[in-house]
Amino acid sequence: MTSISVESMEGKLFLSGQWVGVDNTYDLFNAEKNSLITRIASARESHVLAAIRNGKAGAEVAAAMPVHERMRILHGAADVVESNRHVYIDAIVSEGCKTRREATKEVNRCIQTLRLSAEEARRINGETIAFDQMPGSEGRVGYYYRFPVGLIVAITPFNDPLNLVAHKIGPAVASGNAIIVKPAPATPLSALLLAEAFAQAGLPDGVLSVLPGFPEGMGDHLITHDDVRMISFTGGLSSGKALMQKAGLKKMSMELGASSPALVLDDAELGPAVEAIVSGAFWAAGQNCLGVQRVYVHRARYGEFLNTLVDRTRSLRVGSKQSEETDVGPMISLSEAERVESWVNEALANGARLLCGGERNGAFYLPTILEKVPGNCRLAREEIFGPVVMVEPFDSLDEAIDKANGVNFGLHAGVFTQDINKAFSAIRRLEVGGVMINDSSDYRIDAMPFGGVKHSGIGREGVKFSIQEMTETKVVCFKTSGF
């Protein structure tokens, strides 16, 4: 095992298992310091077509790979990440929006995701089928099994630049597919570093490509090409809709964002609820698809809850991503911070009340709490993807659930209560893909099914469930002459 360095990847693509230098590059900056990190290779149409061509052949190699070999490679890649964790942590901090503590947690989760993928590779099972359950089908015996879809394209966002990529590559390798990763232009380093981990682990050429760059220079082949059999996309709603319209007849797995609610009932333990909601709302400066955006609190506890929430939020330490003491770092870019600022200002101009925060300093936006946000504001209707949370009272559980369901997103929800009957009532009626009882909506482990309903997407991630998305079912039936 050799050490990994960012410098060795400057100006290079990971094309079908090989590092390829290109002339077309762009400068990658640390938004907090406005300093140059490195030059990133920018893939062109010719690179995309080569990756697809080689990936089609690589899919055959991957499908023929024994399960024990897939497991060995996945554990080997995890070992490389673990041995070079400081390099991965530094990359996430420098290119992304996470603090050093947040980046450390992401690297640890990436290692777990890869090892979990290795374990799930051994559990891609089928079942026997009793064909003689149908009259006239006596003498038949058979089963079904799962086989890989072929070549997958994964398009990943900036907010979890390492672990979300691991959630694409790990299950793809475990299930015998080839995969092309198109990382967000703002955070390509983490994906390239993960590709090197797989190279050192012995992944065959052709099975993996990582192609940084911009859509206008790459064409639509990653989406439209017939040899691409599945697209796994994590990103914004408008981009997801446009992608689906172009893609044609392919498997799709899409996580498209959220406006996650937290319901604080009258019997909730307020201290733990506040801690969970503050973490859920302001982790990664609010740039978290599972982050708490809307909080509904029973009117009997509203004043007490609000005071505690504001005090705890004001205690958060806003500062440099590099510091272990920082709770909230900058947003991914100045333009994103300016967007959040404009949405908050729109709400305030329409009558919302600012309880804390509401200030921008360059790419930093202070953790912000608002109440009385009018329903016609963008904050109330769309995903903020920033460190802003809205709070509103309710009088009954029915009212709270109606408010929670009143947007077009449905990813996760959190419910804080000590009453199991109320908890199960909320679980049944909330229009979301996951309900966390006495936890923030952003609670997640990498083994659980993850995804939403309505405009939050289609399909499910989480290693076992990604493998199900990345495989197809084949039925086999033998007609015999009798036993």
Side-chain angles (χ1 to χ4, degrees):
M1 185 185 300
T2 59
S3 60
I4 290 179
S5 70
V6 169
E7 291 74 20
S8 66
M9 300 172 187
E10 185 172 358
K12 296 178 182 177
L13 303 170
F14 190 77
L15 181 58
S16 307
Q18 300 294 320
W19 290 103
V20 177
V22 300
D23 294 331
N24 190 48
T25 63
Y26 66 96
D27 291 337
L28 183 67
F29 283 91
N30 182 324
E32 179 184 350
K33 298 180 178 179
N34 196 31
S35 58
L36 180 68
I37 301 170
T38 189
R39 291 183 306 113
I40 296 294
S42 187
R44 292 298 204 184
E45 192 171 0
S46 59
H47 303 121
V48 171
L49 290 171
I52 293 173
R53 181 174 61 252
N54 296 336
K56 183 180 180 181
E60 296 181 7
V61 174
M65 197 186 310
V67 170
H68 68 81
E69 184 67 6
R70 301 176 195 175
M71 294 174 65
R72 183 195 64 77
I73 290 168
L74 286 160
H75 279 303
D79 290 342
V80 174
V81 176
E82 196 160 22
S83 297
N84 294 272
R85 62 170 60 245
H86 65 285
V87 177
Y88 289 88
I89 292 168
D90 287 345
I92 293 171
V93 172
S94 63
E95 71 174 348
C97 58
K98 289 190 170 179
T99 66
R100 184 160 292 277
R101 279 190 286 129
E102 291 167 340
T104 300
K105 184 175 180 180
E106 183 172 351
V107 171
N108 291 337
R109 285 185 61 188
C110 170
I111 295 165
Q112 182 183 55
T113 297
L114 297 178
R115 298 204 188 283
L116 183 60
S117 297
E119 290 304 309
E120 288 296 337
R122 69 166 90 239
R123 289 189 280 268
I124 305 175
N125 300 320
E127 291 184 359
T128 57
I129 301 170
F131 283 95
D132 60 356
Q133 65 188 276
M134 179 177 177
S137 288
E138 294 81 4
R140 288 175 173 84
V141 64
Y143 59 93
Y144 72 84
Y145 71 96
R146 305 196 71 85
F147 66 96
V149 297
L151 178 59
I152 299 167
V153 165
I155 302 173
T156 59
F158 69 81
N159 58 317
D160 284 300
L162 181 66
N163 194 41
L164 277 181
V165 176
H167 265 281
K168 313 291 188 183
I169 300 176
V173 171
S175 52
N177 294 287
I179 184 167
I180 301 170
V181 178
K182 163 64 178 71
T187 55
L189 268 184
S190 299
L192 291 167
L193 287 166
L194 189 55
E196 175 60 17
F198 274 95
Q200 290 195 21
L203 186 69
D205 290 352
V207 176
L208 172 63
S209 292
V210 176
L211 303 181
F214 300 89
E216 54 268 26
M218 301 169 73
D220 288 337
H221 301 290
L222 289 175
I223 299 168
T224 62
H225 201 289
D226 286 342
D227 289 337
V228 174
R229 300 310 310 141
M230 177 181 175
I231 297 173
S232 179
F233 175 80
T234 304
L237 175 61
S238 59
S239 298
K241 283 184 174 180
L243 188 154
M244 290 189 75
Q245 290 170 352
K246 290 180 180 180
L249 194 61
K250 293 176 171 61
K251 291 196 78 173
M252 295 277 185
S253 177
M254 293 200 158
E255 196 275 286
L256 303 177
S259 175
S260 293
L263 280 58
V264 182
L265 277 54
D266 57 352
D267 63 341
E269 293 187 29
L270 291 193
V274 166
E275 286 298 317
I277 288 169
V278 167
S279 175
F282 304 123
W283 178 268
Q287 295 159 117
N288 174 9
C289 57
L290 288 170
V292 180
Q293 183 166 330
R294 299 172 292 141
V295 183
Y296 301 107
V297 186
H298 194 280
R299 196 176 299 276
R301 310 294 299 280
Y302 186 72
E304 179 186 4
F305 175 86
L306 211 56
N307 290 335
T308 308
L309 181 70
V310 170
D311 287 347
R312 182 67 183 93
T313 299
R314 284 176 172 159
S315 75
L316 293 174
R317 291 160 294 193
V318 179
S320 170
K321 296 181 292 182
Q322 295 289 348
S323 172
E324 294 281 359
E325 303 302 315
T326 297
D327 296 311
V328 181
M331 298 193 66
I332 189 64
S333 66
L334 174 62
S335 61
E336 278 297 287
E338 289 174 338
R339 177 189 60 79
V340 169
E341 180 182 41
S342 70
W343 286 27
V344 171
N345 288 342
E346 177 201 34
L348 294 174
N350 282 277
R353 182 183 175 211
L354 179 67
L355 301 177
C356 69
E359 297 179 19
R360 182 182 63 81
N361 181 13
F364 289 87
Y365 197 83
L366 289 183
T368 297
I369 302 173
L370 299 168
E371 66 173 348
K372 300 181 179 179
V373 176
N376 61 343
C377 294
R378 296 190 73 173
L379 271 176
R381 295 180 287 107
E382 301 180 32
E383 181 181 32
I384 180 64
F385 218 65
V388 179
V389 66
M390 299 169 288
V391 188
E392 185 177 337
F394 68 84
D395 293 302
S396 69
L397 181 58
D398 288 344
E399 179 189 0
I401 291 172
D402 287 344
K403 289 177 181 291
N405 290 340
V407 298
N408 285 326
F409 294 105
L411 189 52
H412 275 192
V415 179
F416 295 87
T417 181
Q418 301 303 305
D419 188 323
I420 193 169
N421 294 312
K422 291 178 181 177
F424 274 105
S425 178
I427 289 166
R428 180 176 57 83
R429 296 161 59 195
L430 285 167
E431 297 170 353
V432 293
V435 181
M436 308 299 119
I437 304 299
N438 294 321
D439 255 320
S440 156
S441 61
D442 80 324
Y443 178 76
R444 179 187 179 187
I445 64 170
D446 297 297
M448 66 190 258
F450 173 67
V453 299
K454 299 192 285 190
H455 285 177
S456 285
I458 56 175
R460 292 294 182 269
E461 290 198 342
V463 174
K464 174 182 177 180
F465 305 91
S466 292
I467 287 173
Q468 291 176 0
E469 301 283 349
M470 293 177 175
T471 53
E472 301 277 15
T473 302
K474 183 176 289 187
V475 175
V476 179
C477 178
F478 290 88
K479 183 179 180 182
T480 71
S481 58
F483 300 113

